[in-house]
Amino acid sequence: MDEKFVANRITELRVKKNVSEYQMSLDLGKNKSYIQNISSGRSLPSMSQFLEICNYFNITPQQFFDEELHNLPLYQKANDLLKQLDDDDMMAVIPILNRLTTKK
């Protein structure tokens, strides 16, 4: 992971959320160029600001740094639905997931 990862990941998540740098900055209670400065690589968020950004996107820090997860809203929705299943239903879903993932 390089130093541009945080900037690129925030941009990726922001675009998927369909929100501008300006609007995200305001939503976070920061000055209007806050996210632009991060996205351009001029600054990095502090740890508390990073956690606020994760909360803004409704993701965990682990999900933020998982380079394999590029459609977090869909992943989160699927994860939320899976959490509602009982053991029998989960056992029924696992073969379907195995079949779908072996198609790749």
Side-chain angles (χ1 to χ4, degrees), residues 60-101:
T60 65
Q62 181 180 0
Q63 290 169 321
F64 183 92
F65 287 107
D66 189 339
E67 296 181 59
E68 300 296 317
L69 295 177
H70 292 287
N71 200 337
L72 288 169
L74 284 178
Y75 172 82
Q76 190 65 44
K77 183 173 178 73
N79 191 39
D80 291 343
L81 291 169
L82 287 171
K83 287 178 184 177
Q84 296 175 34
L85 301 179
D86 63 21
D87 287 348
D88 289 337
D89 290 339
M90 187 65 81
M91 292 302 292
V93 169
I94 289 173
I96 296 168
L97 293 173
N98 282 332
R99 184 178 60 82
L100 292 171
T101 57

Side-chain angles (χ1 to χ4, degrees), residues 1 5 14 24 26 33-34 37-39 41 45 47 49-50 52 59 64 67 71 76-78 80 83-84 94 96-97:
M1 183 179 321
F5 179 84
R14 183 183 56 73
M24 184 177 169
L26 295 180
S33 61
Y34 173 71
N37 288 335
I38 294 171
S39 296
M47 181 58 74
Q49 292 167 341
F50 169 73
E52 287 178 32
I59 61 172
F64 183 92
E67 296 181 59
N71 200 337
Q76 190 65 44
K77 183 173 178 73
D80 291 343
K83 287 178 184 177
Q84 296 175 34
I94 289 173
I96 296 168
L97 293 173

Side-chain angles (χ1 to χ4, degrees), residues 10-22:
I10 288 173
T11 299
E12 174 186 4
L13 294 168
R14 183 183 56 73
V15 168
K16 285 186 182 196
K17 189 171 178 157
N18 197 28
V19 65
S20 68
E21 291 174 339
Y22 176 80

Side-chain angles (χ1 to χ4, degrees), residues 19-43:
V19 65
S20 68
E21 291 174 339
Y22 176 80
Q23 186 59 54
M24 184 177 169
S25 295
L26 295 180
D27 291 346
L28 291 170
K30 307 295 182 192
N31 68 53
K32 61 184 180 181
S33 61
Y34 173 71
I35 294 299
Q36 181 184 24
N37 288 335
I38 294 171
S39 296
S40 67
R42 286 191 293 267
S43 65

